[in-house]
Amino acid sequence: MVLIVGGAWQGKLAFAMELAKNAGGMTTTERKIPFNPLFVNQLDMQEYPPDLSKSKNEKEEEYETAEGSRDSFEAAMKCRIIHGLHEYIRRLLKEGKTVDAFLEALQQQNPDAIITTNELGCGIVPLDPEDREWREVSGRASVKLARTSREVYRMVCGIAAQIK
């Protein structure tokens, strides 16, 4: 497992796609996100997919991605890239499901996943108790995954620093 943490809009998804590409992670199932290095700053946008017009001779590469804000929990068990683990955690908490069980299932069923998650602990502490719990649980989940991941990266301004 590979974990990529960082603030919002820092290029985590583009980096995850590059790691998948380098590891031979091209797939042809379920959700597909086109990779185009000319538009890496647009890959983390929620209004995805951006218009990635290509010339006829340019090859398009696709990677299977589960989006935490919208895809099923089952998709996370199968997809090569899990984008937005913090959003999966938000949904689990709202549905009253255990985050630890989800993380354990991920580690067992998808041990080669590349996971992105936002750092939520920097900044003002939320006033809403549910938002505080989400922030705390997301941080603890990142710690748990970092301990068992073979690689951990921190993204800042589109630059990945390997910290494990």
Side-chain angles (χ1 to χ4, degrees):
M1 196 166 283
V2 175
L3 179 64
I4 305 167
V5 299
W9 323 115
Q10 296 295 310
K12 296 181 297 291
L13 180 56
F15 181 65
M17 294 170 108
E18 190 63 30
L19 288 177
K21 174 185 171 186
N22 292 339
M26 288 183 64
T27 62
T28 57
T29 58
E30 278 200 56
R31 181 172 312 284
K32 295 173 186 164
I33 296 180
F35 177 76
N36 182 338
L38 300 175
F39 294 95
V40 293
N41 61 331
Q42 294 182 20
L43 290 174
D44 279 334
M45 293 174 49
Q46 286 194 4
E47 297 81 32
Y48 194 78
D51 181 18
L52 298 177
S53 302
K54 297 185 178 303
S55 64
K56 290 182 181 179
N57 61 2
E58 188 175 344
K59 183 180 178 189
E60 183 177 288
E61 298 169 343
E62 298 173 338
Y63 301 93
E64 187 177 1
T65 302
E67 286 286 340
S69 61
R70 67 174 179 248
D71 289 331
S72 69
F73 298 116
E74 293 78 25
M77 302 302 158
K78 298 183 251 177
C79 292
R80 177 75 170 130
I81 298 171
I82 301 168
H83 180 55
L85 176 70
H86 60 286
E87 293 296 343
Y88 271 116
I89 292 171
R90 181 193 300 264
R91 291 171 45 207
L92 287 164
L93 292 173
K94 284 185 179 184
E95 294 178 21
K97 296 179 180 176
T98 61
V99 173
D100 284 339
F102 177 73
L103 295 178
E104 288 171 19
L106 261 182
Q107 290 173 327
Q108 290 175 0
Q109 296 178 36
N110 199 354
D112 294 324
I114 300 170
I115 301 171
T116 71
T117 188
N118 281 5
E119 274 186 321
L120 304 174
C122 301
I124 298 171
V125 177
L127 189 57
D128 183 2
E130 291 174 356
D131 285 343
R132 284 196 307 269
E133 179 187 18
W134 169 55
R135 182 170 128 155
E136 185 174 321
V137 171
S138 293
R140 288 189 176 152
S142 293
V143 169
K144 185 174 186 175
L145 287 178
R147 285 186 182 140
T148 59
S149 293
R150 71 177 180 275
E151 297 173 33
V152 179
Y153 295 89
R154 182 156 193 257
M155 292 292 299
V156 178
C157 298
I159 299 170
Q162 186 169 8
I163 57 177
K164 179 181 178 185

